[in-house]
Amino acid sequence: MRLIGIAVVVCSLASFAFAVENVVTATHGTIAKIDRAAKTIAVKTADDTEHVFYWAKGTSVHGVKAADVAAKDSWHGLTEGSEVVAHSTKHGTKDTVVEVDKVGDTGLKKTEGTIKEIDRSGKKLVIKSADGSEHAFKLTGRAATDAGKDVAAGAEKGTKVAIYSTEDAGESVVHFFEKI
């Protein structure tokens, strides 16, 4: 009986450890360095912190032009100086980027405003711009989850935010947002 109890505790701890590794975080910044040999990108954030991410075979890149992908000095259409949002997870001691979204051009569009309404379960966000116009957005699952974490600590009605979105079937879809 004691052996079964120990096995249950070990399995519980193991499942907790694996669950922690699947948490995805977002980092907004500019690509400072691309190292193809090490399979890493370094992203420098607004506070001058540099985050190094490893990429894997399945890492996806969004918002780049087809012509940029073919450029020899790019990694999947991204170059040093590209503004990006890197979505990463921890695998052991390595931060592995699972998705990179380019900001600007054909990538994510930035909109600033004040939160008027946020519905995390309904995945809806409405902001009011400085000019008084209102913008309604649909939250992706990841953005809704992020809104429930550190962003949500102050992301309530009246909070100033920068929204990073795309258009999909006539709907503005938020991939990432941050307090400003």
Side-chain angles (χ1 to χ4, degrees), residues 12-22:
S12 297
L13 292 174
S15 66
F16 176 74
F18 286 115
V20 169
E21 287 193 10
N22 290 330

Side-chain angles (χ1 to χ4, degrees), residues 77-175:
L78 299 172
T79 58
E80 292 178 9
S82 295
E83 183 180 0
V84 297
V85 176
H87 303 276
S88 64
T89 186
K90 202 104 159 133
H91 287 282
T93 59
K94 293 182 178 182
D95 283 324
T96 302
V97 68
V98 292
E99 177 183 323
V100 181
D101 296 316
K102 185 174 182 185
V103 177
D105 293 333
T106 57
L108 298 179
K109 177 184 169 190
K110 180 179 179 181
T111 308
E112 293 183 1
T114 304
I115 294 177
K116 181 177 178 190
E117 176 187 340
I118 184 165
D119 178 1
R120 290 172 187 84
S121 61
K123 297 182 181 176
K124 181 182 175 188
L125 174 70
V126 178
I127 66 167
K128 189 173 188 176
S129 295
D131 66 3
S133 61
E134 292 184 7
H135 306 274
F137 297 92
K138 177 182 173 186
L139 296 168
T140 62
R142 186 172 291 143
T145 301
D146 287 345
K149 293 181 187 169
D150 58 320
V151 174
E156 298 301 331
K157 189 173 179 179
T159 303
K160 291 185 181 190
V161 293
I163 307 295
Y164 297 89
S165 64
T166 57
E167 292 294 318
D168 185 22
E171 226 176 8
S172 295
V173 180
V174 176
H175 293 262

